[in-house]
Structure formats: C-alpha cells, structure tokens
Amino acid sequence: MESQRNISELIFLGFSYNQNIQIFCFVFFLLCYIAILVGNLLILVSIRYSPLFHQPMYCFLSHLSSMDICYTSCVTPTLISDLLLGRKAVSYGNCMLQVFSLHFLGKIEICILTVMAFDRCVAICKPLHYTIIMNRTRCNLLIVAAWAGGAVHAFSQFSMIVSLPFCGPNEIDHYYCDIFPLLKVACTDTYITGILVVANSGMVALVTFVLLFGSYVIILFTLRNHSAEGRRKALSACGSHITVVILFFGPSIFAYLRPPTTFPEDKIFSLFYTIIAPMFNPLIYILRNTKMKKVMRRVWYQKMFSEEKHN
C-alpha cells in the first residue's frame, strides 16, 4: 500500500472557507448531532425498558436507532471539529477507515429498513400467522444477516478503493471520505472502478428501494379488504417507515446510481443520509406512532417517579 501512494493525509474542501458560513455550519451541525444522539437514545431506552422490546417491529426500530447513532458518528464529530479548529484534514488511514465504516453501517441500515418493511407486510397481509413467521429466532437471524450483508458490501467497496494509488493532489471536494471524490484524486484510470462502485452501491440502493416500494404496493392492495379503522392504523404504522425510506434512499440513489463523477450538489445530498435522516428518524417514529408515545411517557414517568422516591 505504501508503494502505491506518497500522500499521508487528505484535505477536505468542505462547504465554504467563509468564516461566517463556517460558524453557522458549526452551530447547525452541532445542534443536529445533539438532536440525533438525544432522539435515538430516547427511542433505545424507551424500547429497552418496555414490553415493546419483545415485539419484532420495535426490536428492529431499536437496531435502526443504534445504526443511526453509529453511522452519523462516523462523519458528524469530525465535521464539527474541522469547522471549530479550521483544519479540514484527515490521515490516509482514517480516511480508508471512514470509507469502510460508512459502507458497513450504511448497508446494515438499508437491510434493517428492508426487514422492517417485511415485518409490516407480514403483520398486515398475514396477521394470523405473524407470531409464527416473525418469531424471535427468525428476527435474530434477520439482524445477523443484515450485519453479514454490511460486512460483505463494505469489504467489496473498501478493497476497490484501498488498492488505488494516491499521489496528489490531496484535496477532495467533500466533507468526508466518499468514494467518488476519492476516485477523482486517484492518479490512475478509475473508470472500471467507478463502474463497479455504481454496480455495487448504486444497484443495492435501487433494488432495495424497488423491493420496499413493492412491499407497500402489496400492503395497500391488502388494505382494500380492511375496515376504515384498520386501514387508518395500518397506514399510520407504515407512514413513518415510508417517510424514513424516502429520506434515506432518494439522496442515496442520486449519489451512487449515475456515472462515476462528482457534482457540487453532492455535499448537500449527502447531508440527507449522513445527518438529516438520522436526525428526523426519531421524530418521525415518535410523532407518528401512538404506541411509541404512550410507552415513552410511561417509561420516563416511572424513571422520574422512582428517582424522586429514592431521593
């Protein structure tokens, strides 16, 4: 690896070198990161200390919140510190680690969203067989499969990018180490590598989105035979998931399912799946889920009451 490169660090161009814009971005991203941590930890604790933890949908939701925290933590703390210190640089090793981590955790999140759609499809289309189909063993296997899928995807992407020679320039027009910006600064022909990235990441995003869209078409078709109240409850439960899917997959498909090149808009679209979606996920699932709101009130009321009693 050392013989293929003579650079030890990469410089992020970020969003702007204007001091006022950097201060605004620092405050904005810091507040976003705090909201991500608080919101997702709120979901994790509420589900863990309630009976919902044993229900497949909420078990998957707790894993999604965990992935949101880990995924955004690969990018946001570094972005915030760069804006604060004014030094937008990352070592070559940390850059490669970031590439691997983002694709590993991102693929797991995609798999969890797919599993959640499958869970809702079974719950609505096969309600009498739901507990048999979505038993605890099968749920655990689906989560293990999501992690395995993440590892396979990340290693395939990482092996392509780590084998490339980087000999300068070392400036990338982004705020984190993404594959397409790195391909642009590699000192070799990256056409084949770019096509392989599109075939891997781009097709993963597109095929998963089509599967998710198909699952909701089946759900809507099945709801025709339900009562008005049943349709309302089912659509309310699915609405949260659909919103999250659109927020995550829309920008992802734009970012990876296209010719391997970079655009100035890439940084804005990347914000959606690295920061905006993880920040809005807790709000979407809490505000649109009546059962989740009731459980949270009960769990946190009990915790506050027990603390007051103890004092």
Side-chain angles (χ1 to χ4, degrees), residues 45-46 49-50 294-303:
V45 173
S46 298
Y49 291 97
S50 74
K294 289 180 179 177
V295 164
M296 288 181 64
R297 280 195 293 266
R298 188 182 305 120
V299 169
W300 291 100
Y301 174 77
Q302 288 176 351
K303 281 185 170 294

Side-chain angles (χ1 to χ4, degrees), residues 5-6 27 34 36 45 50 77 79 82 98 109 124 163 175 177 181 185 202 210 215 234-235 247 292 304 308:
R5 62 180 178 86
N6 59 13
V27 174
I34 292 171
I36 290 167
V45 173
S50 74
L79 173 60
D82 287 346
Q98 192 176 57
E109 186 157 352
I124 293 169
S163 62
Y175 61 93
C177 288
V185 300
V210 170
S215 70
L235 289 173
L247 274 176
M292 192 71 204
M304 291 172 62
E308 289 177 0

Side-chain angles (χ1 to χ4, degrees), residues 80-185:
I80 292 170
S81 64
D82 287 346
L83 290 167
L84 179 64
L85 301 175
R87 185 177 183 276
K88 304 174 182 179
V90 63
S91 68
Y92 175 84
N94 285 339
C95 182
M96 294 299 108
L97 178 62
Q98 192 176 57
V99 169
F100 178 84
S101 301
L102 285 171
H103 282 270
F104 176 57
L105 297 168
K107 176 60 177 178
I108 293 175
E109 186 157 352
I110 286 173
C111 291
I112 294 296
L113 286 169
T114 307
V115 168
M116 290 174 72
F118 173 70
D119 173 76
R120 290 300 84 205
C121 196
V122 173
I124 293 169
C125 301
K126 299 285 184 181
L128 298 179
H129 301 91
Y130 177 74
T131 54
I132 298 173
I133 296 173
M134 298 302 294
N135 57 58
R136 193 68 181 181
T137 301
R138 186 168 281 112
C139 290
N140 290 335
L141 286 174
L142 288 171
I143 291 170
V144 170
W147 280 74
V152 171
H153 173 73
F155 274 114
S156 65
Q157 298 293 81
F158 177 76
S159 61
M160 286 189 287
I161 202 70
V162 78
S163 62
L164 294 175
F166 294 94
C167 47
N170 65 339
E171 292 184 342
I172 58 176
D173 189 15
H174 219 295
Y175 61 93
Y176 70 94
C177 288
D178 201 8
I179 290 185
F180 284 165
L182 285 170
L183 292 181
K184 195 172 181 180
V185 300

Side-chain angles (χ1 to χ4, degrees), residues 27-43:
V27 174
F28 176 73
F29 292 131
L30 178 61
L31 292 175
C32 286
Y33 190 54
I34 292 171
I36 290 167
L37 294 179
V38 172
N40 284 289
L41 286 172
L42 197 61
I43 286 180

Side-chain angles (χ1 to χ4, degrees), residues 120-293:
R120 290 300 84 205
C121 196
V122 173
I124 293 169
C125 301
K126 299 285 184 181
L128 298 179
H129 301 91
Y130 177 74
T131 54
I132 298 173
I133 296 173
M134 298 302 294
N135 57 58
R136 193 68 181 181
T137 301
R138 186 168 281 112
C139 290
N140 290 335
L141 286 174
L142 288 171
I143 291 170
V144 170
W147 280 74
V152 171
H153 173 73
F155 274 114
S156 65
Q157 298 293 81
F158 177 76
S159 61
M160 286 189 287
I161 202 70
V162 78
S163 62
L164 294 175
F166 294 94
C167 47
N170 65 339
E171 292 184 342
I172 58 176
D173 189 15
H174 219 295
Y175 61 93
Y176 70 94
C177 288
D178 201 8
I179 290 185
F180 284 165
L182 285 170
L183 292 181
K184 195 172 181 180
V185 300
C187 49
T188 186
D189 183 12
T190 59
Y191 178 77
I192 299 299
T193 304
I195 295 299
L196 291 174
V197 170
V198 172
N200 190 331
S201 293
M203 290 309 297
V204 163
L206 180 62
V207 171
T208 307
F209 182 77
V210 170
L211 288 174
L212 291 171
F213 181 79
S215 70
Y216 284 105
V217 170
I218 294 171
I219 288 172
L220 290 173
F221 183 79
T222 305
L223 287 175
R224 295 183 310 163
N225 303 320
H226 287 227
S227 64
E229 180 65 17
R231 284 197 297 269
R232 188 191 64 79
K233 289 182 178 180
L235 289 173
S236 176
C238 295
S240 305
H241 193 254
I242 293 172
T243 308
V244 170
V245 165
I246 292 172
L247 274 176
F248 189 87
F249 281 95
S252 299
I253 291 172
F254 172 83
Y256 291 104
L257 195 65
R258 68 176 197 219
T261 185
T262 58
F263 298 107
E265 297 81 8
D266 288 348
K267 289 177 279 190
I268 303 300
F269 278 94
S270 296
L271 286 175
F272 279 91
Y273 52 84
T274 57
I275 298 176
I276 304 299
M279 181 177 66
F280 276 101
N281 283 359
L283 290 174
I284 291 166
Y285 280 108
I286 291 170
L287 294 177
R288 293 183 60 88
N289 193 312
T290 304
K291 189 181 291 187
M292 192 71 204
K293 285 188 284 189

